[in-house]
Amino acid sequence: MRAAELAAVAGECPGDGVHPALFTETFWAALHGLATPPRARRLPPEDTERRVELLVDRLAMI
């Protein structure tokens, strides 16, 4: 997914006072941070799905 596509999906998610681009960059960085360490074996790969679910669940609360 490209940044422009992510920004389109993010839509109104950031909330009042949060610039959509800032929200998109932060969300992208979080996803990237979850994907990269398991590849380098810095985080256990078997927990990747649980980490993504946790991130998405917490963002859904926003």
Side-chain angles (χ1 to χ4, degrees), residues 6-7 10 13-14 16-30 59:
L6 184 57
C13 289
D16 294 337
V18 178
H19 193 279
L22 179 63
F23 177 82
T24 301
E25 291 165 358
T26 302
F27 184 68
W28 181 257
L59 285 171

